[in-house]
Protein backbone atom coordinates (compact mmCIF):
# COMPACT_ATOMS: atom_id res chain seq x y z
CA UNK A 1 0.00 0.00 0.00
CA UNK A 2 1.17 3.50 -0.80
CA UNK A 3 0.87 5.28 2.53
CA UNK A 4 1.18 8.67 0.82
CA UNK A 5 -2.55 8.23 0.02
CA UNK A 6 -3.30 9.07 3.65
CA UNK A 7 -1.90 12.57 3.14
CA UNK A 8 -5.15 13.40 1.33
CA UNK A 9 -7.16 12.45 4.41
CA UNK A 10 -5.89 15.26 6.62
CA UNK A 11 -9.29 16.29 8.00
CA UNK A 12 -10.49 12.70 8.39
CA UNK A 13 -7.36 11.68 10.32
CA UNK A 14 -7.60 14.81 12.46
CA UNK A 15 -11.20 13.96 13.32
CA UNK A 16 -10.28 10.38 14.26
CA UNK A 17 -7.48 11.65 16.54
CA UNK A 18 -9.92 14.07 18.17
CA UNK A 19 -12.41 11.23 18.62
CA UNK A 20 -9.79 9.03 20.32
CA UNK A 21 -8.65 11.84 22.63
CA UNK A 22 -12.20 12.63 23.76
CA UNK A 23 -13.06 8.95 24.14
CA UNK A 24 -10.02 8.26 26.33
CA UNK A 25 -10.62 11.46 28.31
CA UNK A 26 -14.21 10.45 28.98
CA UNK A 27 -13.28 6.90 30.01
CA UNK A 28 -10.18 7.47 32.13
CA UNK A 29 -10.41 10.96 33.62
CA UNK A 30 -11.41 11.42 37.27
CA UNK A 31 -14.79 12.73 38.41
CA UNK A 32 -13.19 16.13 38.93
CA UNK A 33 -11.76 16.03 35.42
CA UNK A 34 -15.16 15.23 33.93
CA UNK A 35 -16.38 18.65 35.09
CA UNK A 36 -14.11 20.14 32.44
CA UNK A 37 -15.12 17.74 29.68
CA UNK A 38 -17.34 20.24 27.87
CA UNK A 39 -14.79 23.03 27.69
CA UNK A 40 -12.02 20.61 26.70
CA UNK A 41 -14.14 19.07 23.95
CA UNK A 42 -15.33 22.40 22.56
CA UNK A 43 -11.83 23.91 22.69
CA UNK A 44 -10.23 20.95 20.91
CA UNK A 45 -12.96 20.95 18.26
CA UNK A 46 -12.52 24.70 17.72
CA UNK A 47 -8.76 24.12 17.17
CA UNK A 48 -9.63 21.32 14.75
CA UNK A 49 -11.84 23.73 12.78
CA UNK A 50 -9.06 26.31 12.58
CA UNK A 51 -6.69 23.61 11.27
CA UNK A 52 -9.29 22.84 8.58
CA UNK A 53 -8.78 26.30 7.08
CA UNK A 54 -5.05 25.67 6.60
CA UNK A 55 -3.97 24.54 3.09
CA UNK A 56 -4.85 20.87 2.56
CA UNK A 57 -3.37 18.39 0.10
CA UNK A 58 -5.78 17.97 -2.80
CA UNK A 59 -6.05 15.17 -5.37
CA UNK A 60 -7.24 11.58 -5.65
CA UNK A 61 -6.32 8.75 -3.31
CA UNK A 62 -6.79 4.98 -3.27
CA UNK A 63 -7.23 4.71 -7.02
CA UNK A 64 -9.90 7.41 -7.18
CA UNK A 65 -12.05 6.07 -4.30
CA UNK A 66 -11.36 9.23 -2.29
CA UNK A 67 -11.19 12.74 -3.71
CA UNK A 68 -9.94 15.81 -1.90
CA UNK A 69 -10.38 19.23 -3.49
CA UNK A 70 -10.69 22.81 -2.34
CA UNK A 71 -14.47 22.49 -2.60
CA UNK A 72 -14.66 19.31 -0.48
CA UNK A 73 -12.46 20.93 2.16
CA UNK A 74 -14.69 24.02 2.18
CA UNK A 75 -17.84 21.91 2.49
CA UNK A 76 -16.36 19.98 5.43
CA UNK A 77 -15.46 23.26 7.11
CA UNK A 78 -19.10 24.38 6.84
CA UNK A 79 -20.23 21.16 8.53
CA UNK A 80 -17.56 21.63 11.22
CA UNK A 81 -18.75 25.15 12.05
CA UNK A 82 -22.34 23.93 12.31
CA UNK A 83 -21.28 21.05 14.57
CA UNK A 84 -19.36 23.41 16.89
CA UNK A 85 -22.44 25.64 17.25
CA UNK A 86 -24.54 22.57 18.11
CA UNK A 87 -21.97 21.44 20.71
CA UNK A 88 -22.26 24.86 22.34
CA UNK A 89 -26.05 24.75 22.29
CA UNK A 90 -26.13 21.23 23.73
CA UNK A 91 -24.30 22.16 26.94
CA UNK A 92 -27.37 22.91 29.06
CA UNK A 93 -29.15 19.74 27.98
CA UNK A 94 -26.04 17.61 28.50
CA UNK A 95 -25.56 19.08 31.98
CA UNK A 96 -28.92 17.78 33.22
CA UNK A 97 -29.03 14.84 35.62
CA UNK A 98 -30.39 12.51 32.90
CA UNK A 99 -27.58 13.11 30.41
CA UNK A 100 -24.48 14.30 32.27
CA UNK A 101 -23.07 10.76 32.46
CA UNK A 102 -23.61 10.31 28.72
CA UNK A 103 -21.94 13.57 27.66
CA UNK A 104 -18.88 11.79 26.26
CA UNK A 105 -21.09 9.42 24.29
CA UNK A 106 -22.88 12.34 22.65
CA UNK A 107 -19.61 13.86 21.48
CA UNK A 108 -18.03 10.66 20.23
CA UNK A 109 -21.16 9.46 18.41
CA UNK A 110 -21.58 12.86 16.78
CA UNK A 111 -17.96 12.84 15.60
CA UNK A 112 -18.46 9.38 14.07
CA UNK A 113 -21.45 10.63 12.08
CA UNK A 114 -19.39 13.63 10.97
CA UNK A 115 -16.64 11.30 9.76
CA UNK A 116 -19.19 9.41 7.68
CA UNK A 117 -20.33 12.68 6.14
CA UNK A 118 -16.71 13.51 5.25
CA UNK A 119 -16.52 10.30 3.24
CA UNK A 120 -19.87 11.06 1.57
CA UNK A 121 -18.50 14.38 0.35
CA UNK A 122 -15.11 13.05 -0.76
CA UNK A 123 -16.42 9.92 -2.46
CA UNK A 124 -15.12 9.21 -5.95
CA UNK A 125 -16.83 5.86 -6.06
CA UNK A 126 -20.38 4.79 -5.23
CA UNK A 127 -19.18 2.19 -2.72
CA UNK A 128 -17.29 4.90 -0.83
CA UNK A 129 -20.43 7.03 -0.93
CA UNK A 130 -22.47 4.12 0.44
CA UNK A 131 -19.96 3.50 3.26
CA UNK A 132 -20.07 7.18 4.15
CA UNK A 133 -23.87 7.24 4.25
CA UNK A 134 -24.02 4.18 6.48
CA UNK A 135 -21.28 5.48 8.79
CA UNK A 136 -23.31 8.66 9.19
CA UNK A 137 -26.78 7.10 9.43
CA UNK A 138 -26.37 4.30 11.99
CA UNK A 139 -24.92 6.51 14.78
CA UNK A 140 -27.51 9.14 13.86
CA UNK A 141 -30.26 6.74 14.95
CA UNK A 142 -28.46 6.41 18.31
CA UNK A 143 -28.46 10.19 18.65
CA UNK A 144 -32.17 10.40 17.81
CA UNK A 145 -32.88 7.86 20.57
CA UNK A 146 -30.40 9.45 23.00
CA UNK A 147 -33.13 10.09 25.60
CA UNK A 148 -33.99 6.40 25.42
CA UNK A 149 -36.32 6.43 28.44
CA UNK A 150 -38.54 9.00 26.75
CA UNK A 151 -41.10 7.37 24.49
CA UNK A 152 -40.88 9.92 21.69
CA UNK A 153 -37.08 9.80 21.56
CA UNK A 154 -37.01 6.00 21.39
CA UNK A 155 -39.72 6.12 18.72
CA UNK A 156 -37.68 8.67 16.74
CA UNK A 157 -34.64 6.40 16.82
CA UNK A 158 -36.63 3.36 15.66
CA UNK A 159 -38.35 5.28 12.87
CA UNK A 160 -35.09 6.77 11.68
CA UNK A 161 -33.18 3.47 11.56
CA UNK A 162 -36.00 1.55 9.86
CA UNK A 163 -36.62 4.15 7.18
CA UNK A 164 -32.90 4.77 6.77
CA UNK A 165 -32.42 1.05 6.12
CA UNK A 166 -35.26 1.13 3.60
CA UNK A 167 -33.78 4.11 1.76
CA UNK A 168 -30.34 2.49 1.73
CA UNK A 169 -31.84 -0.65 0.22
CA UNK A 170 -33.53 1.43 -2.47
CA UNK A 171 -30.28 3.24 -3.23
CA UNK A 172 -28.28 -0.02 -3.43
CA UNK A 173 -30.93 -1.42 -5.76
CA UNK A 174 -30.37 1.58 -8.03
CA UNK A 175 -26.59 1.21 -7.86
CA UNK A 176 -26.90 -2.43 -8.91
CA UNK A 177 -28.72 -1.27 -12.06
CA UNK A 178 -26.00 1.28 -12.79
CA UNK A 179 -23.28 -1.34 -12.30
CA UNK A 180 -25.13 -3.81 -14.48
CA UNK A 181 -25.52 -1.28 -17.27
CA UNK A 182 -22.12 0.41 -17.10
CA UNK A 183 -19.78 -2.01 -15.32
CA UNK A 184 -18.16 0.33 -12.79
CA UNK A 185 -18.76 2.19 -9.54
CA UNK A 186 -16.12 4.85 -10.15
CA UNK A 187 -17.55 8.30 -10.89
CA UNK A 188 -14.95 9.05 -13.57
CA UNK A 189 -15.52 5.76 -15.41
CA UNK A 190 -19.30 6.06 -15.25
CA UNK A 191 -19.34 9.64 -16.55
CA UNK A 192 -17.47 8.65 -19.72
CA UNK A 193 -19.94 5.88 -20.70
CA UNK A 194 -23.18 7.30 -19.27
CA UNK A 195 -26.11 6.97 -21.69
CA UNK A 196 -29.84 7.34 -21.11
CA UNK A 197 -30.66 3.63 -21.41
CA UNK A 198 -33.68 2.22 -19.52
CA UNK A 199 -31.43 0.47 -16.95
CA UNK A 200 -29.46 3.66 -16.30
CA UNK A 201 -32.64 5.73 -15.90
CA UNK A 202 -34.12 3.21 -13.46
CA UNK A 203 -30.77 3.09 -11.62
CA UNK A 204 -30.66 6.87 -11.33
CA UNK A 205 -34.24 7.07 -10.04
CA UNK A 206 -33.58 4.55 -7.26
CA UNK A 207 -30.22 6.12 -6.39
CA UNK A 208 -31.77 9.58 -6.21
CA UNK A 209 -34.62 8.23 -4.08
CA UNK A 210 -32.09 6.98 -1.50
CA UNK A 211 -30.42 10.38 -1.19
CA UNK A 212 -33.82 12.15 -1.28
CA UNK A 213 -34.60 10.45 2.05
CA UNK A 214 -31.56 12.08 3.66
CA UNK A 215 -32.63 15.45 2.26
CA UNK A 216 -36.30 14.97 3.31
CA UNK A 217 -37.50 15.62 -0.22
CA UNK A 218 -41.17 14.87 -0.95
CA UNK A 219 -42.36 12.05 -1.09
CA UNK A 220 -39.48 10.73 1.06
CA UNK A 221 -40.12 13.21 3.88
CA UNK A 222 -42.63 11.28 5.99
CA UNK A 223 -40.12 10.46 8.74
CA UNK A 224 -38.98 14.03 9.22
CA UNK A 225 -41.60 15.61 11.48
CA UNK A 226 -41.85 12.65 13.89
CA UNK A 227 -38.08 12.23 14.20
CA UNK A 228 -37.48 15.97 14.59
CA UNK A 229 -40.14 16.16 17.31
CA UNK A 230 -38.98 13.09 19.22
CA UNK A 231 -35.21 13.57 19.08
CA UNK A 232 -33.42 15.83 21.60
CA UNK A 233 -33.37 19.39 20.25
CA UNK A 234 -29.59 19.43 19.75
CA UNK A 235 -29.91 16.27 17.66
CA UNK A 236 -32.82 17.76 15.73
CA UNK A 237 -30.62 20.75 14.89
CA UNK A 238 -27.85 18.38 13.77
CA UNK A 239 -30.29 16.46 11.56
CA UNK A 240 -31.75 19.65 10.17
CA UNK A 241 -28.47 21.32 9.25
CA UNK A 242 -25.39 19.07 9.23
CA UNK A 243 -26.98 15.85 7.98
CA UNK A 244 -29.00 17.68 5.35
CA UNK A 245 -25.99 19.74 4.23
CA UNK A 246 -23.84 16.62 3.80
CA UNK A 247 -26.56 14.91 1.74
CA UNK A 248 -26.92 17.99 -0.48
CA UNK A 249 -23.17 18.17 -1.04
CA UNK A 250 -23.03 14.46 -1.92
CA UNK A 251 -25.99 14.85 -4.29
CA UNK A 252 -24.51 17.74 -6.24
CA UNK A 253 -21.15 15.97 -6.60
CA UNK A 254 -22.73 12.77 -7.91
CA UNK A 255 -25.12 14.65 -10.23
CA UNK A 256 -22.40 16.86 -11.70
CA UNK A 257 -19.64 14.23 -11.89
CA UNK A 258 -21.60 11.15 -12.95
CA UNK A 259 -24.96 11.99 -14.51
CA UNK A 260 -24.04 15.01 -16.64
CA UNK A 261 -24.74 13.14 -19.91
CA UNK A 262 -28.34 12.41 -18.95
CA UNK A 263 -29.22 15.90 -17.74
CA UNK A 264 -32.48 15.83 -19.69
CA UNK A 265 -33.61 12.90 -17.51
CA UNK A 266 -32.74 14.16 -14.04
CA UNK A 267 -33.58 17.81 -14.70
CA UNK A 268 -37.23 16.87 -15.32
CA UNK A 269 -37.33 14.72 -12.20
CA UNK A 270 -35.71 17.43 -10.08
CA UNK A 271 -38.10 20.06 -11.51
CA UNK A 272 -41.18 18.26 -10.19
CA UNK A 273 -39.56 17.19 -6.91
CA UNK A 274 -38.50 20.79 -6.27
CA UNK A 275 -42.00 22.18 -6.86
CA UNK A 276 -43.75 19.55 -4.74
CA UNK A 277 -41.17 19.72 -1.93
CA UNK A 278 -41.24 23.50 -1.56
CA UNK A 279 -45.04 23.70 -1.79
CA UNK A 280 -46.00 20.82 0.51
CA UNK A 281 -43.33 21.77 3.04
CA UNK A 282 -44.76 25.28 3.26
CA UNK A 283 -48.42 24.22 3.38
CA UNK A 284 -47.86 21.68 6.15
CA UNK A 285 -45.70 24.12 8.16
CA UNK A 286 -48.69 26.48 8.47
CA UNK A 287 -50.71 23.82 10.33
CA UNK A 288 -48.14 22.98 12.98
CA UNK A 289 -48.60 23.79 16.68
CA UNK A 290 -45.30 22.26 17.83
CA UNK A 291 -42.28 24.38 16.96
CA UNK A 292 -39.99 21.40 16.25
CA UNK A 293 -42.52 19.98 13.80
CA UNK A 294 -42.89 23.51 12.41
CA UNK A 295 -39.17 23.68 11.66
CA UNK A 296 -39.25 20.12 10.33
CA UNK A 297 -41.61 21.18 7.55
CA UNK A 298 -39.72 24.45 7.14
CA UNK A 299 -36.54 22.41 6.56
CA UNK A 300 -38.37 20.28 3.97
CA UNK A 301 -39.27 23.45 2.11
CA UNK A 302 -35.68 24.74 2.40
CA UNK A 303 -34.45 21.45 0.89
CA UNK A 304 -36.53 22.27 -2.16
CA UNK A 305 -34.70 25.58 -2.50
CA UNK A 306 -31.38 23.71 -2.29
CA UNK A 307 -32.46 21.70 -5.35
CA UNK A 308 -32.76 24.94 -7.35
CA UNK A 309 -28.97 25.17 -7.23
CA UNK A 310 -28.54 21.52 -8.17
CA UNK A 311 -30.91 21.66 -11.14
CA UNK A 312 -29.04 24.66 -12.60
CA UNK A 313 -26.15 22.31 -13.41
CA UNK A 314 -23.63 25.14 -13.57
CA UNK A 315 -20.74 26.40 -11.49
CA UNK A 316 -22.97 29.28 -10.44
CA UNK A 317 -25.61 26.78 -9.33
CA UNK A 318 -23.08 24.97 -7.17
CA UNK A 319 -21.83 28.28 -5.76
CA UNK A 320 -25.36 29.40 -4.92
CA UNK A 321 -26.20 26.06 -3.32
CA UNK A 322 -23.09 25.98 -1.10
CA UNK A 323 -23.65 29.61 -0.09
CA UNK A 324 -27.32 28.83 0.64
CA UNK A 325 -26.31 26.02 3.01
CA UNK A 326 -23.70 28.23 4.71
CA UNK A 327 -26.38 30.85 5.43
CA UNK A 328 -28.87 28.12 6.39
CA UNK A 329 -26.41 26.92 9.06
CA UNK A 330 -26.46 30.25 10.92
CA UNK A 331 -30.16 30.99 10.40
CA UNK A 332 -31.52 27.60 11.37
CA UNK A 333 -29.14 27.04 14.28
CA UNK A 334 -30.04 30.47 15.70
CA UNK A 335 -33.66 29.29 15.78
CA UNK A 336 -32.78 25.94 17.36
CA UNK A 337 -30.57 27.68 19.93
CA UNK A 338 -33.59 29.67 21.11
CA UNK A 339 -35.86 26.62 20.97
CA UNK A 340 -33.41 24.61 23.09
CA UNK A 341 -33.11 27.42 25.65
CA UNK A 342 -36.90 27.75 25.99
CA UNK A 343 -37.41 23.98 26.07
CA UNK A 344 -34.93 23.61 28.95
CA UNK A 345 -36.92 26.14 30.99
CA UNK A 346 -40.34 24.62 30.33
CA UNK A 347 -39.67 20.94 31.07
CA UNK A 348 -39.61 20.00 27.41
CA UNK A 349 -42.53 22.12 26.22
CA UNK A 350 -42.03 22.74 22.49
CA UNK A 351 -45.45 24.16 21.65
CA UNK A 352 -45.45 27.45 19.80
CA UNK A 353 -47.63 28.85 22.59
CA UNK A 354 -44.59 28.57 24.89
CA UNK A 355 -43.12 31.47 22.89
CA UNK A 356 -46.08 33.78 23.55
CA UNK A 357 -44.84 37.06 24.97
CA UNK A 358 -41.18 36.04 24.73
CA UNK A 359 -40.25 39.59 23.69
CA UNK A 360 -41.40 40.81 27.12
CA UNK A 361 -39.85 38.09 29.27
CA UNK A 362 -36.68 37.37 27.25
CA UNK A 363 -36.28 40.14 24.65
CA UNK A 364 -32.81 39.09 23.47
CA UNK A 365 -33.90 35.56 22.72
CA UNK A 366 -36.98 36.90 20.92
CA UNK A 367 -34.74 39.18 18.86
CA UNK A 368 -32.49 36.27 17.84
CA UNK A 369 -35.49 34.16 16.89
CA UNK A 370 -36.92 37.06 14.88
CA UNK A 371 -33.64 37.40 12.96
CA UNK A 372 -33.55 33.64 12.35
CA UNK A 373 -37.06 33.37 10.92
CA UNK A 374 -36.69 36.57 8.87
CA UNK A 375 -33.41 35.27 7.42
CA UNK A 376 -35.05 31.91 6.62
CA UNK A 377 -37.91 33.81 5.01
CA UNK A 378 -35.52 35.88 2.87
CA UNK A 379 -36.13 39.37 4.30
CA UNK A 380 -33.76 41.88 2.58
CA UNK A 381 -30.42 42.89 4.15
CA UNK A 382 -30.26 39.62 6.11
CA UNK A 383 -28.07 36.80 4.80
CA UNK A 384 -31.11 34.67 3.89
CA UNK A 385 -32.18 37.24 1.32
CA UNK A 386 -28.84 37.03 -0.50
CA UNK A 387 -28.79 33.22 -0.42
CA UNK A 388 -32.26 33.01 -1.97
CA UNK A 389 -31.44 35.72 -4.52
CA UNK A 390 -28.32 33.88 -5.72
CA UNK A 391 -30.08 30.53 -5.95
CA UNK A 392 -33.00 32.05 -7.90
CA UNK A 393 -30.52 33.74 -10.25
CA UNK A 394 -28.69 30.45 -10.86
CA UNK A 395 -31.93 28.72 -11.86
CA UNK A 396 -33.19 31.69 -13.91
CA UNK A 397 -29.97 31.85 -15.95
CA UNK A 398 -30.72 28.29 -17.11
CA UNK A 399 -34.22 29.50 -18.09
CA UNK A 400 -36.12 27.70 -15.33
CA UNK A 401 -38.44 30.72 -15.17
CA UNK A 402 -41.58 28.87 -14.08
CA UNK A 403 -39.65 27.05 -11.38
CA UNK A 404 -38.29 30.34 -10.04
CA UNK A 405 -41.78 31.88 -10.20
CA UNK A 406 -43.28 29.02 -8.17
CA UNK A 407 -40.40 29.26 -5.68
CA UNK A 408 -41.02 33.01 -5.32
CA UNK A 409 -44.73 32.41 -4.63
CA UNK A 410 -43.75 29.88 -1.98
CA UNK A 411 -41.40 32.41 -0.42
CA UNK A 412 -44.44 34.63 0.19
CA UNK A 413 -46.25 31.69 1.83
CA UNK A 414 -43.21 30.98 3.99
CA UNK A 415 -43.12 34.59 5.13
CA UNK A 416 -46.69 34.16 6.38
CA UNK A 417 -45.92 31.18 8.61
CA UNK A 418 -42.62 32.60 9.82
CA UNK A 419 -44.60 35.67 10.91
CA UNK A 420 -46.72 33.37 13.10
CA UNK A 421 -43.62 32.91 15.28
CA UNK A 422 -43.07 36.66 15.29
CA UNK A 423 -46.72 37.17 16.26
CA UNK A 424 -46.43 34.73 19.16
CA UNK A 425 -43.33 36.46 20.53
CA UNK A 426 -44.21 40.13 19.97
CA UNK A 427 -48.00 40.44 19.81
CA UNK A 428 -49.54 37.70 21.93
CA UNK A 429 -49.58 37.98 25.70
CA UNK A 430 -47.99 35.41 27.98
CA UNK A 431 -50.14 32.36 28.68
CA UNK A 432 -49.95 29.83 31.46
CA UNK A 433 -47.53 27.58 29.57
CA UNK A 434 -45.39 30.46 28.23
CA UNK A 435 -41.80 30.70 29.41
CA UNK A 436 -40.91 33.16 32.15
CA UNK A 437 -37.76 35.31 32.39
CA UNK A 438 -34.55 33.26 32.65
CA UNK A 439 -30.84 33.47 31.90
CA UNK A 440 -29.31 31.55 29.01
CA UNK A 441 -26.14 29.59 29.76
CA UNK A 442 -22.88 31.07 28.49
CA UNK A 443 -22.21 28.34 25.91
CA UNK A 444 -25.55 28.96 24.24
CA UNK A 445 -24.96 32.71 24.39
CA UNK A 446 -21.72 32.27 22.44
CA UNK A 447 -23.48 30.08 19.86
CA UNK A 448 -26.26 32.62 19.38
CA UNK A 449 -23.77 35.48 19.02
CA UNK A 450 -21.96 33.50 16.30
CA UNK A 451 -25.27 32.87 14.51
CA UNK A 452 -26.39 36.51 14.72
CA UNK A 453 -23.06 37.74 13.38
CA UNK A 454 -23.34 35.23 10.54
CA UNK A 455 -26.92 36.31 9.71
CA UNK A 456 -25.92 39.96 9.58
CA UNK A 457 -22.59 39.97 7.78
CA UNK A 458 -22.28 36.93 5.49
CA UNK A 459 -24.44 38.50 2.80
CA UNK A 460 -22.23 41.59 2.68
CA UNK A 461 -18.83 39.83 2.61
CA UNK A 462 -18.59 39.31 -1.13
CA UNK A 463 -15.23 37.57 -0.81
CA UNK A 464 -16.97 34.49 0.64
CA UNK A 465 -19.29 34.09 -2.36
CA UNK A 466 -16.41 34.87 -4.71
CA UNK A 467 -14.20 32.24 -3.07
CA UNK A 468 -16.94 29.60 -3.39
CA UNK A 469 -17.36 30.62 -7.04
CA UNK A 470 -13.64 30.20 -7.68
CA UNK A 471 -13.63 26.59 -6.49
CA UNK A 472 -17.01 25.56 -7.97
CA UNK A 473 -17.53 23.64 -11.18
CA UNK A 474 -20.47 22.77 -13.41
CA UNK A 475 -21.36 19.95 -15.76
Amino acid sequence: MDFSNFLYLGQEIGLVILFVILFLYDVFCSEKGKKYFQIVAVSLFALFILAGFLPQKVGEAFGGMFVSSEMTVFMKNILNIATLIIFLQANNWLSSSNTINKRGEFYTITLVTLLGMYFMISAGNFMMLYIGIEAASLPMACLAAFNKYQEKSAEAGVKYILLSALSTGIMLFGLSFLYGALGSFYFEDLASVMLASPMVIVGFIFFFSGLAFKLSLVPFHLWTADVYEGAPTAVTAYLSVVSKGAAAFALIFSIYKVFGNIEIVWSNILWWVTVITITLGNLFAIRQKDIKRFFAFSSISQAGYILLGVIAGTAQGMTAMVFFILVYVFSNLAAFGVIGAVENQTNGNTKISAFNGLSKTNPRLAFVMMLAVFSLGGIPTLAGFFSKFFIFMAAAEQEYYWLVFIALLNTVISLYYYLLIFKAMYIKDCESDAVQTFKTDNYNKVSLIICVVGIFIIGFISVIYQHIGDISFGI
Side-chain angles (χ1 to χ4, degrees):
M1 177 183 286
D2 183 1
F3 287 99
S4 65
N5 282 316
F6 289 99
L7 296 175
Y8 296 94
L9 281 74
Q11 287 176 295
E12 285 74 12
I13 293 172
L15 194 62
V16 170
I17 292 172
L18 179 60
F19 168 85
V20 172
I21 291 172
L22 292 182
F23 177 76
L24 294 177
Y25 184 87
D26 182 50
V27 172
F28 293 107
C29 76
S30 62
E31 288 299 319
K32 186 178 179 182
K34 285 187 177 180
K35 294 179 181 177
Y36 303 102
F37 181 86
Q38 176 77 358
I39 192 166
V40 170
V42 169
S43 301
L44 289 177
F45 194 71
L47 290 174
F48 170 72
I49 292 175
L50 292 175
F53 285 97
L54 298 174
Q56 308 283 326
K57 191 174 177 60
V58 297
E60 293 184 354
F62 305 107
M65 290 279 288
F66 184 92
V67 179
S68 176
S69 65
E70 289 187 72
M71 179 55 89
T72 61
V73 171
F74 189 83
M75 288 173 170
K76 292 170 189 173
N77 286 333
I78 293 176
L79 301 186
N80 290 342
I81 292 170
T83 305
L84 175 65
I85 294 173
I86 291 166
F87 281 162
L88 291 168
Q89 293 178 351
N91 176 65
N92 203 356
W93 165 60
L94 291 173
S95 300
S96 67
S97 57
N98 293 328
T99 53
I100 193 164
N101 291 325
K102 300 190 292 182
R103 192 161 46 180
E105 294 173 34
F106 174 77
Y107 274 87
T108 50
I109 294 173
T110 304
L111 294 182
V112 171
T113 67
L114 192 59
L115 183 64
M117 294 172 197
Y118 280 9
F119 286 117
M120 286 169 62
I121 293 171
S122 283
N125 177 297
F126 277 122
M127 282 298 100
M128 177 63 77
L129 177 62
Y130 166 72
I131 290 169
I133 290 174
E134 287 305 291
S137 299
L138 294 176
M140 191 69 77
C142 300
L143 289 176
F146 204 76
N147 290 334
K148 59 184 178 183
Y149 295 115
Q150 292 183 10
E151 184 180 348
K152 282 189 175 182
S153 184
E155 180 185 340
V158 171
K159 282 186 177 177
Y160 186 84
I161 194 65
L162 289 178
L163 292 173
S164 180
L166 176 64
S167 71
T168 300
I170 291 171
M171 188 176 72
L172 283 177
F173 191 57
L175 293 181
S176 69
F177 272 80
L178 291 175
Y179 187 80
L182 305 172
S184 176
F185 279 138
Y186 285 88
F187 289 178
E188 195 171 332
D189 295 342
L190 288 169
S192 62
V193 295
M194 182 67 64
L195 294 172
S197 65
M199 278 188 72
V200 168
I201 293 172
V202 171
F204 169 77
I205 291 171
F206 280 106
F207 165 73
F208 175 72
S209 301
L211 272 184
F213 169 86
K214 309 298 179 187
L215 272 165
S216 303
L217 300 175
V218 177
F220 308 100
H221 67 292
L222 297 175
W223 62 278
T224 311
D226 289 342
V227 174
Y228 276 34
E229 183 185 10
T233 298
V235 177
T236 305
Y238 192 73
L239 276 167
S240 173
V241 176
V242 182
S243 176
K244 189 160 289 187
F249 293 149
L251 176 65
I252 200 166
F253 274 136
S254 56
I255 289 274
Y256 281 23
K257 288 184 175 179
V258 181
F259 299 103
N261 289 348
I262 59 168
E263 182 181 358
I264 192 166
V265 174
W266 57 258
S267 62
N268 286 320
I269 295 172
L270 262 60
W271 198 99
W272 284 105
V273 172
T274 303
V275 170
I276 297 170
T277 299
I278 294 177
T279 306
L280 284 187
N282 279 338
L283 294 179
F284 279 91
I286 294 173
R287 302 171 51 193
Q288 302 309 312
K289 303 297 181 188
D290 183 284
I291 199 158
K292 288 170 75 174
R293 294 183 72 87
F294 174 93
F295 275 96
F297 285 102
S298 164
S299 75
I300 291 170
S301 173
Q302 297 288 344
Y305 289 108
I306 291 172
L307 281 189
L308 283 173
V310 179
I311 199 173
T314 60
Q316 187 180 351
M318 177 182 273
T319 306
M321 190 210 77
V322 175
F323 186 77
F324 186 93
I325 292 174
L326 177 63
V327 172
Y328 183 67
V329 163
F330 294 109
S331 304
N332 221 36
L333 291 185
F336 274 106
V338 177
I339 293 170
V342 172
E343 184 185 14
N344 287 328
Q345 297 297 318
T346 54
N347 297 320
N349 184 4
T350 55
K351 292 180 180 176
I352 294 178
S353 58
F355 290 75
N356 288 349
L358 190 68
S359 64
K360 298 182 179 67
T361 58
N362 298 273
R364 292 176 183 170
L365 284 180
F367 178 70
V368 174
M369 179 61 101
M370 180 189 71
L371 287 179
V373 295
F374 281 1
S375 182
L376 289 169
I379 296 294
T381 75
L382 298 178
F385 166 77
F386 295 100
S387 66
K388 277 196 167 64
F389 174 77
F390 290 136
I391 216 156
F392 288 160
M393 285 296 294
E397 286 201 350
Q398 297 307 303
E399 301 183 352
Y400 289 107
Y401 299 123
W402 275 106
L403 189 57
V404 173
F405 177 71
I406 294 169
L408 280 169
L409 285 180
N410 274 280
T411 300
V412 177
I413 297 173
S414 71
L415 282 175
Y416 166 73
Y417 66 73
Y418 285 133
L419 284 173
L420 295 177
I421 304 293
F422 178 84
K423 178 183 175 183
M425 295 188 303
Y426 283 90
I427 297 177
K428 286 192 173 182
D429 294 326
C430 293
E431 296 177 356
S432 58
D433 58 347
V435 67
Q436 301 303 309
T437 302
F438 68 93
K439 286 189 176 181
T440 312
D441 72 289
N442 290 331
Y443 285 94
N444 200 11
K445 280 180 183 174
V446 173
S447 79
L448 294 178
I449 290 171
I450 294 172
C451 291
V452 169
V453 171
I455 290 171
F456 269 121
I457 70 168
I458 283 182
F460 294 101
I461 304 179
S462 59
V463 68
I464 295 177
Y465 190 82
Q466 187 178 344
H467 174 68
I468 301 172
D470 291 340
I471 58 179
S472 294
F473 57 88
I475 294 173

